[in-house]
């Protein structure tokens, strides 16, 4: 009870442990993984695709894709051919496409929420996701995915704190101190959103790898009116 922020309507936490704390006592959970998973899910589902999150990048993902009658996104981030965790690779995905998207962060967290309704939020759809979340109740949990250090411990990621804060800015109710902090980060960055995210650690890493366009897509603030909802193992878009 100490760690679940239950005294407040709007709660914010990080990673898998955060999901375990917030999901059981929330009306809805919002997963935020700005520079990869959440942006991919928004782009793909807004075009009518169905995204199946999957945790592992191994042979079990191949079997799962076959079981679901879906394509399997490439394990390596790329946009030159086929689909991957690069949002750019999904900008032309066709409606009705079923795609398994393996991710150690956003996908893993999405599958950890149990029976709690789960939305996928980003900077692209912050207002839409907040509006949809309110339909489920006042107790809203926002989970910032973060990244992983080489030893697989969580690395707090600036872009996910900003994304969580952007969604919180459209919510009403009492805010936990953690939610207030995330909101303050967003408020400080919103006038220089693209520049700040390109200059944060995650942004610089993607630019060095040749994925600057992915950042541009991720920072298209509120261009999407869709809220990806997880049902029967897959995200599909709900028009808000």
């Amino acid at each position: 009870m100490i760690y679940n922020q239950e005294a407040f309507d709007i709660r914010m936490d990080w990673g898998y442990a955060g999901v375990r704390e917030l999901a059981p006592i929330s009306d809805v959970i919002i997963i935020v993984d700005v520079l990869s998973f959440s942006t991919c899910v928004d782009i793909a589902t807004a075009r009518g695709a169905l995204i199946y999150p999957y945790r592992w990048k191994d042979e079990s993902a191949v079997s799962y894709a076959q079981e679901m009658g879906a394509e399997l996104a490439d394990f390596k981030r790329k946009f030159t051919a086929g689909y991957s965790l690069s949002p750019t690779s999904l900008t032309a995905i066709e409606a009705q496409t079923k795609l398994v998207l393996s991710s150690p962060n956003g996908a893993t967290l999405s599958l950890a929420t149990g029976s709690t309704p789960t939305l996928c939020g980003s900077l692209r759809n912050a207002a839409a996701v907040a509006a949809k979340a309110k339909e489920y109740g006042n107790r809203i949990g926002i989970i910032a995915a973060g990244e992983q250090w080489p030893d697989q411990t969580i690395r707090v990621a600036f872009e996910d704190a900003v994304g969580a804060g952007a969604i919180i800015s459209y919510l009403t109710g009492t805010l936990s101190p953690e939610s207030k902090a995330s909101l303050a980060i967003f408020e400080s960055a919103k006038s220089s959103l693209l520049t700040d995210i390109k200059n944060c650690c995650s942004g610089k890493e993607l630019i060095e790898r040749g994925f600057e366009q992915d950042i541009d897509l991720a920072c298209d603030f509120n261009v999407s009116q869709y809220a990806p909802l997880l049902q029967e193992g897959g995200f599909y878009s709900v028009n808000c």
Side-chain angles (χ1 to χ4, degrees):
M1 295 177 63
I2 293 175
Y3 302 107
N4 64 16
Q5 304 168 46
E6 68 173 354
F8 305 94
D9 298 321
I10 313 301
R11 306 89 180 251
M12 182 270 179
D13 214 320
W14 289 88
Y16 190 79
V19 173
R20 284 175 28 187
E21 289 291 334
L22 300 192
I25 55 123
S26 297
D27 296 316
V28 60
I29 288 289
I30 304 170
I31 303 297
V32 181
D33 185 356
V34 166
L35 284 182
S36 193
F37 184 78
S38 292
T39 298
C40 285
V41 171
D42 173 70
I43 289 173
T45 58
R47 293 182 58 86
L50 179 63
I51 298 296
Y52 291 100
Y54 195 73
R55 180 174 186 175
W56 307 109
K57 294 183 177 183
D58 58 18
E59 286 300 315
S60 67
V62 177
S63 299
Y64 180 67
Q66 292 173 344
E67 177 186 339
M68 304 309 295
E71 298 181 49
L72 176 63
D74 198 290
F75 292 157
K76 294 182 179 180
R77 191 182 193 121
K78 65 177 186 177
F79 54 78
T80 52
Y83 305 126
S84 76
L85 275 170
S86 165
T88 304
S89 74
L90 297 165
T91 55
I93 195 169
E94 295 184 358
Q96 309 305 317
T97 300
K98 295 181 178 181
L99 183 69
V100 172
L101 199 58
S102 298
S103 159
N105 298 316
T108 299
L109 300 179
S110 298
L111 296 171
T113 58
S115 60
T116 306
T118 301
L119 299 167
C120 194
S122 66
L123 290 168
R124 295 175 59 88
N125 61 5
V129 166
K132 186 64 181 177
K134 293 175 187 177
E135 296 179 11
Y136 289 95
N138 297 324
R139 302 177 303 165
I140 299 173
I142 301 95
I143 300 295
E147 295 293 338
Q148 292 186 6
W149 291 110
D151 65 358
Q152 296 185 327
T153 55
I154 190 170
R155 173 171 70 79
V156 171
F158 169 78
E159 69 276 8
D160 293 340
V162 171
I167 295 167
I168 291 167
S169 73
Y170 294 100
L171 296 174
T172 56
T174 56
L175 271 60
S176 70
E178 293 82 357
S179 296
K180 288 181 179 180
S182 188
L183 176 60
I185 292 171
F186 167 69
E187 294 290 349
S188 72
K190 66 179 180 181
S191 63
S192 54
L193 198 59
L194 182 60
T195 299
D196 284 356
I197 290 184
K198 284 187 176 181
N199 283 318
C200 77
C201 295
S202 300
K204 289 190 289 187
E205 178 190 4
L206 287 184
I207 291 171
E208 185 175 295
R209 293 171 57 193
F211 293 103
E212 186 168 1
Q213 189 175 350
D214 286 351
I215 305 175
D216 294 332
L217 288 171
C219 292
D220 278 341
F221 189 53
N222 278 338
V223 297
S224 174
Q225 301 304 309
Y226 294 90
L229 175 66
L230 185 66
Q231 283 195 346
E232 297 181 357
F235 278 109
Y236 73 97
S237 259
V238 179
N239 193 331
C240 296

